Amino acid sequence: MFVYLRGTVVGHQSEGGHRCALILEVNGVGYRLLVTSHLLQQYPPRPEVVQIFTHLSIREDQMLLYGFASAAERDLFLRLIRVNGVGPQMALSLLDTLPLPELVQAIVSGNTRRLSRAPGVGHKTAERIALELKAALSAWRQEMGFTTASSGLPSEAVREELELTLLALGYSDREIAAALTAVGQTTTLPNNSDPEAWLREAIAWLSANT
Amino acid sequence: MFVYLRGTVVGHQSEGGHRCALILEVNGVGYRLLVTSHLLQQYPPRPEVVQIFTHLSIREDQMLLYGFASAAERDLFLRLIRVNGVGPQMALSLLDTLPLPELVQAIVSGNTRRLSRAPGVGHKTAERIALELKAALSAWRQEMGFTTASSGLPSEAVREELELTLLALGYSDREIAAALTAVGQTTTLPNNSDPEAWLREAIAWLSANT
Amino acid sequence: MFVYLRGTVVGHQSEGGHRCALILEVNGVGYRLLVTSHLLQQYPPRPEVVQIFTHLSIREDQMLLYGFASAAERDLFLRLIRVNGVGPQMALSLLDTLPLPELVQAIVSGNTRRLSRAPGVGHKTAERIALELKAALSAWRQEMGFTTASSGLPSEAVREELELTLLALGYSDREIAAALTAVGQTTTLPNNSDPEAWLREAIAWLSANT
Amino acid sequence: MFVYLRGTVVGHQSEGGHRCALILEVNGVGYRLLVTSHLLQQYPPRPEVVQIFTHLSIREDQMLLYGFASAAERDLFLRLIRVNGVGPQMALSLLDTLPLPELVQAIVSGNTRRLSRAPGVGHKTAERIALELKAALSAWRQEMGFTTASSGLPSEAVREELELTLLALGYSDREIAAALTAVGQTTTLPNNSDPEAWLREAIAWLSANT
């Protein structure tokens, strides 16, 4: 029924486990939006009016509002919760794990390893997500303007090695994805060059940006 | 519960197939209204405040808002969805195919051929619509001030022939209806005169107005 | 959830039969309130902001708003719809038939004849209303400040005769009740004096005020 | 869906029994909030805008809004209604009986005697509340910053004797709790000193403050 709210972020709220909520005031009404922790970082409490894209979920005894940074993020959320066995919280957990283009890439490329790193997502569910959404998301991401070209990124094999190392160093999936994208854009490292070079550059970027 | 919203059109959204939505902001809340494609053309995104008539459909797990250009259009929509086998999307599809007075005329006159040209409307459903709504709409259209006089329009036989030709030339039902009404109002062609004269006038109007 | 709306009356709408609705705009949202015809007369479309007391009725597939001139009228409505066999439309019909104090008086005094003059209210339902609400309304009307003293009014017998005559002359229950109250307040006619005197005064008032 | 409303208190409403409601106007909409009588005292009708924390309860045929003075009070309410056999009214009744820190202390310390003094709360329900919430509330109250130190308060034995006497004198639980807290903060009475000294101080405070 409504697809976004424009108001001021007045607070954040932990809801137990990975669940968190953002409180948005719109004309004297304080809305509680269930969101990703990533979105909380993007929208600290501040007087400026912001626009948050929403999905209203209606159940027999409850109305829940989910909040997203963009219409594309909300649309992906809606596609995810239509997959059998994927509820709203698991969809938020997936959205929280990787930047949108990378999450779509992981689904389209069937990278169940990366998908199942999201809290609560098992291997089987990851496979079902990839199976059910692969085709639709290939077309969808063109509409959304997500470049599929992994030109700047390391090859899958190199990437896998890098991820294992960087995860072991305590970086999150989202930080690693951001680092590899940045390194890909700011260096001329070929995507299948030796992992050490990528690792050095990635750690340098992560130290400066996290 | 609410019969219209007054706000600014901030965007259009395709919803797959013939489905489309208009995003209307009212006091910081972005409402999603399922509408006809014709209405989208009438209401491009613009800063001015517009009034859109609404119907709130409540289901166990979803609240959907439908939007209309007038109270009459919404009322016809409400009558259509009470016909067995006609859902909201089919009703929108009918409203999208013909201008309101012509759609009412087609129902009252039992013109199932014209009704079943709306995407998704089969011959049987068209018959049922005419059967169930014919009587009520005859009275209703007087209240609404729709002239029933088909004085300016070509006779049914002539019209049928024109429609087939103009449809074959790629014009939509709605464009053809608009053209015939315009020709009827701006020329003195008698309604049962030979189709060629009507065809020439109609094509001239369509070339200038589409 | 909400007990009143403050906005501008932008239109009236007939809903078939005795049903009618008032359209109230509040912050760009046009609410449809199912009301009594009496309330429509009290609130013609005008730019001033008015306050209308509301009851939100929620069903599986519909949310309906009912509108009232006062909190007391709404509260009586809520008591009436709890009586077995009395739905919202019948409750509105009762509220439309008599001014609030007289309606309460008719219930408390078990005057089923007057109650069953409301469209749709049969004798049995009138009896059940009186039976179920008599005790509660006796106390309630004190809280509401409705004078029970029928000092100014004609006795029950005289009143009954007057009502039959005035109804036959085409006046409504509500007009008759208003006339008898006015005559009671502006004349010194004893309440059991002969009906002719009351009839002359009532007809004089009705000719001047309807 | 929404966690607070910011508006003006326009009235109070008794709802029968212990039930009471506060009417809050927000942008022309008069919301009815079911609240504790204590909250009514805190929020008399006044033109200033106030913030009331809310819980929206949705049932098949009704939407009810509950109002609270703080997010903590609402959160405790939500925990209470998850206890088997505790409905919204009983939760409000508990919140009405003791100030929040004392209510939490009574639950955490399993003081079923004090809990079952709330209207409608039997001994068994009090036990179940303590059993189900004790652990969670011990942690929660740290987050909420409720001091658990009962340093300023009389010992449990002394307190029990005081409560019986003061209740017999007609003071409410909430008044007694406020008095003992005040005496504990403004005197140096040791918490296990003889009850008479506490009684004299408490009665002096209550005479001055109620």
Side-chain angles (χ1 to χ4, degrees):
Chain A
M1 175 162 144
F2 35 87
V3 287
Y4 70 75
L5 290 172
R6 216 188 274 280
T8 47
V9 178
V10 298
H12 294 167
Q13 206 171 280
S14 149
E15 302 263 321
H18 291 280
R19 297 164 57 109
C20 45
L22 175 142
I23 311 300
L24 189 76
E25 181 164 326
V26 182
N27 294 318
V29 177
Y31 291 92
R32 168 177 166 251
L33 304 169
L34 296 171
V35 297
T36 61
S37 57
H38 179 62
L39 190 126
L40 285 192
Q41 290 159 24
Q42 287 179 280
Y43 292 96
R46 263 196 320 225
E48 294 80 26
V49 171
V50 296
Q51 175 179 25
I52 306 226
F53 293 83
T54 55
H55 167 62
L56 173 62
S57 153
I58 296 176
R59 281 186 259 160
E60 217 177 321
D61 61 348
Q62 216 180 16
M63 284 207 257
L64 292 175
L65 263 176
Y66 292 91
F68 308 94
S70 66
E73 199 176 77
R74 181 199 53 217
D75 292 356
L76 182 56
F77 171 85
L78 291 176
R79 290 171 190 269
L80 285 168
I81 59 175
R82 278 187 221 120
V83 174
N84 192 357
V86 179
Q89 280 311 322
M90 191 187 284
L92 284 181
S93 160
L94 280 159
L95 288 169
D96 220 357
T97 302
L98 287 169
L100 206 57
E102 259 100 279
L103 178 56
V104 173
Q105 170 62 17
I107 295 173
V108 171
S109 62
N111 189 330
T112 53
R113 189 181 47 74
R114 195 167 298 148
L115 292 177
S116 52
R117 275 214 294 268
V121 179
H123 186 70
K124 275 216 177 120
T125 307
E127 274 182 341
R128 204 177 311 123
I129 290 170
L131 191 70
E132 291 191 26
L133 295 183
K134 186 187 290 237
L137 288 185
S138 301
W140 181 73
R141 70 176 168 181
Q142 312 298 342
E143 286 167 47
M144 292 297 127
F146 296 152
T147 54
T148 55
S150 53
S151 55
L153 292 176
S155 69
E156 204 45 42
V158 169
R159 178 168 185 138
E160 210 148 306
E161 213 182 308
L162 287 169
E163 280 178 354
L164 290 176
T165 318
L166 293 170
L167 282 169
L169 291 173
Y171 292 108
S172 75
D173 270 290
R174 182 174 278 277
E175 288 161 342
I176 296 168
L180 298 184
T181 305
V183 169
Q185 286 161 350
T186 54
T187 69
T188 53
L189 285 177
N191 65 22
N192 55 14
S193 91
D194 70 76
E196 250 108 55
W198 276 92
L199 192 60
R200 267 196 312 281
E201 292 286 344
I203 289 176
W205 186 87
L206 285 162
S207 324
N209 290 280
T210 54
Chain B
M1 174 161 144
F2 37 86
V3 287
Y4 69 76
L5 291 173
R6 215 187 275 279
T8 46
V9 178
V10 298
H12 294 168
Q13 205 170 280
S14 148
E15 303 263 319
H18 292 279
R19 295 163 57 108
C20 44
L22 174 142
I23 310 300
L24 189 76
E25 182 164 325
V26 182
N27 294 319
V29 176
Y31 291 91
R32 168 178 167 251
L33 303 168
L34 295 171
V35 297
T36 62
S37 57
H38 180 62
L39 190 125
L40 286 194
Q41 288 159 23
Q42 288 178 279
Y43 292 96
R46 264 197 316 228
E48 294 79 26
V49 171
V50 297
Q51 175 179 24
I52 306 229
F53 294 84
T54 54
H55 166 63
L56 174 62
S57 152
I58 297 178
R59 281 187 260 159
E60 217 178 319
D61 60 349
Q62 215 180 17
M63 284 207 257
L64 292 174
L65 263 175
Y66 293 91
F68 308 94
S70 65
E73 198 176 75
R74 179 199 54 217
D75 292 355
L76 182 56
F77 172 85
L78 292 175
R79 290 172 189 268
L80 285 168
I81 60 175
R82 279 186 221 122
V83 175
N84 192 357
V86 179
Q89 279 311 322
M90 191 186 282
L92 284 181
S93 159
L94 281 159
L95 288 169
D96 219 358
T97 302
L98 286 168
L100 207 56
E102 259 99 283
L103 177 56
V104 173
Q105 170 62 16
I107 295 172
V108 171
S109 62
N111 190 329
T112 52
R113 190 182 45 75
R114 197 167 297 149
L115 292 177
S116 51
R117 276 215 294 267
V121 178
H123 186 71
K124 276 220 179 112
T125 307
E127 274 182 341
R128 203 177 312 124
I129 290 170
L131 193 70
E132 291 192 26
L133 296 183
K134 186 187 290 238
L137 288 185
S138 301
W140 181 72
R141 68 177 170 181
Q142 311 298 342
E143 287 167 48
M144 292 297 127
F146 295 152
T147 53
T148 55
S150 53
S151 54
L153 291 175
S155 69
E156 204 46 43
V158 170
R159 178 168 186 140
E160 211 147 306
E161 211 181 308
L162 287 169
E163 281 178 354
L164 290 176
T165 316
L166 293 170
L167 282 168
L169 290 174
Y171 292 109
S172 75
D173 270 290
R174 183 173 276 274
E175 287 162 343
I176 295 168
L180 297 183
T181 305
V183 169
Q185 285 160 351
T186 54
T187 70
T188 53
L189 285 177
N191 64 24
N192 54 16
S193 91
D194 69 77
E196 251 108 55
W198 277 94
L199 192 61
R200 265 197 314 279
E201 293 286 345
I203 290 178
W205 187 87
L206 285 163
S207 324
N209 290 281
T210 54
Chain C
M1 174 162 144
F2 37 87
V3 287
Y4 69 77
L5 291 172
R6 215 187 275 278
T8 47
V9 178
V10 297
H12 293 167
Q13 205 169 282
S14 149
E15 303 262 321
H18 291 279
R19 296 163 56 107
C20 44
L22 174 142
I23 311 298
L24 189 75
E25 181 163 326
V26 183
N27 293 318
V29 177
Y31 291 92
R32 167 178 167 251
L33 304 167
L34 296 172
V35 296
T36 62
S37 57
H38 180 64
L39 190 126
L40 285 193
Q41 290 160 22
Q42 288 178 281
Y43 293 96
R46 264 195 319 226
E48 295 79 28
V49 171
V50 297
Q51 175 179 24
I52 306 226
F53 293 84
T54 55
H55 166 63
L56 173 62
S57 154
I58 296 179
R59 281 187 259 159
E60 216 178 319
D61 60 349
Q62 216 180 16
M63 285 206 257
L64 292 174
L65 263 175
Y66 293 91
F68 308 95
S70 66
E73 198 177 76
R74 181 199 52 217
D75 292 355
L76 182 56
F77 172 85
L78 291 176
R79 290 172 187 270
L80 285 168
I81 59 174
R82 278 186 223 121
V83 175
N84 191 357
V86 178
Q89 280 312 320
M90 192 186 282
L92 284 180
S93 160
L94 281 159
L95 290 169
D96 220 356
T97 303
L98 286 169
L100 206 56
E102 259 98 276
L103 177 56
V104 173
Q105 169 61 18
I107 295 172
V108 170
S109 62
N111 191 329
T112 53
R113 189 181 47 74
R114 197 167 295 149
L115 292 177
S116 50
R117 276 215 293 269
V121 179
H123 187 69
K124 276 217 178 118
T125 306
E127 275 182 341
R128 203 178 311 121
I129 290 170
L131 192 70
E132 292 192 25
L133 296 183
K134 187 186 289 236
L137 288 185
S138 301
W140 180 73
R141 69 176 170 181
Q142 312 297 342
E143 288 167 47
M144 293 297 127
F146 296 151
T147 53
T148 57
S150 53
S151 55
L153 291 176
S155 69
E156 203 47 42
V158 169
R159 179 168 186 139
E160 211 148 305
E161 213 181 306
L162 286 169
E163 281 179 355
L164 290 177
T165 317
L166 292 170
L167 282 168
L169 290 174
Y171 292 109
S172 75
D173 270 289
R174 182 172 277 276
E175 289 161 342
I176 296 167
L180 298 184
T181 305
V183 170
Q185 286 159 352
T186 54
T187 69
T188 54
L189 285 177
N191 64 26
N192 55 16
S193 92
D194 68 75
E196 251 107 55
W198 277 93
L199 190 60
R200 266 195 313 280
E201 293 286 345
I203 289 177
W205 188 87
L206 286 163
S207 323
N209 290 280
T210 55
Chain D
M1 175 160 145
F2 37 86
V3 287
Y4 70 76
L5 291 171
R6 214 188 276 279
T8 47
V9 178
V10 297
H12 294 168
Q13 204 170 283
S14 149
E15 303 262 320
H18 292 279
R19 296 163 56 109
C20 46
L22 175 142
I23 311 301
L24 189 76
E25 181 164 326
V26 183
N27 293 317
V29 178
Y31 291 92
R32 168 177 166 253
L33 304 168
L34 296 172
V35 297
T36 62
S37 57
H38 180 63
L39 190 126
L40 285 192
Q41 289 159 24
Q42 288 178 281
Y43 292 96
R46 265 196 318 228
E48 294 80 28
V49 171
V50 297
Q51 176 179 24
I52 306 228
F53 293 84
T54 54
H55 167 63
L56 173 62
S57 154
I58 296 177
R59 281 185 260 160
E60 216 179 318
D61 61 349
Q62 216 180 16
M63 285 207 253
L64 292 175
L65 263 176
Y66 293 90
F68 308 94
S70 66
E73 198 176 79
R74 181 199 52 218
D75 292 356
L76 181 57
F77 172 85
L78 290 176
R79 289 172 189 270
L80 286 168
I81 59 174
R82 279 187 221 119
V83 174
N84 193 355
V86 178
Q89 279 312 323
M90 191 186 283
L92 284 181
S93 161
L94 281 159
L95 289 169
D96 220 356
T97 303
L98 285 169
L100 207 55
E102 259 99 276
L103 177 56
V104 173
Q105 169 62 17
I107 295 173
V108 171
S109 63
N111 189 330
T112 52
R113 189 182 46 75
R114 196 167 296 148
L115 291 177
S116 51
R117 276 215 295 269
V121 178
H123 186 70
K124 275 217 178 120
T125 307
E127 275 183 341
R128 202 177 313 121
I129 290 170
L131 192 71
E132 292 192 25
L133 295 183
K134 186 186 289 234
L137 288 185
S138 300
W140 180 73
R141 69 176 170 181
Q142 313 296 342
E143 287 167 46
M144 293 296 128
F146 295 150
T147 54
T148 55
S150 54
S151 55
L153 292 176
S155 70
E156 204 45 42
V158 170
R159 178 169 186 138
E160 212 149 306
E161 211 181 308
L162 285 169
E163 280 178 354
L164 290 176
T165 317
L166 292 170
L167 282 168
L169 291 173
Y171 292 108
S172 76
D173 271 290
R174 184 173 277 276
E175 289 161 342
I176 298 168
L180 298 183
T181 305
V183 169
Q185 285 160 350
T186 54
T187 69
T188 53
L189 284 177
N191 66 24
N192 55 14
S193 92
D194 69 75
E196 252 108 53
W198 275 93
L199 191 60
R200 267 196 313 280
E201 293 287 344
I203 289 176
W205 187 87
L206 285 164
S207 325
N209 290 280
T210 56

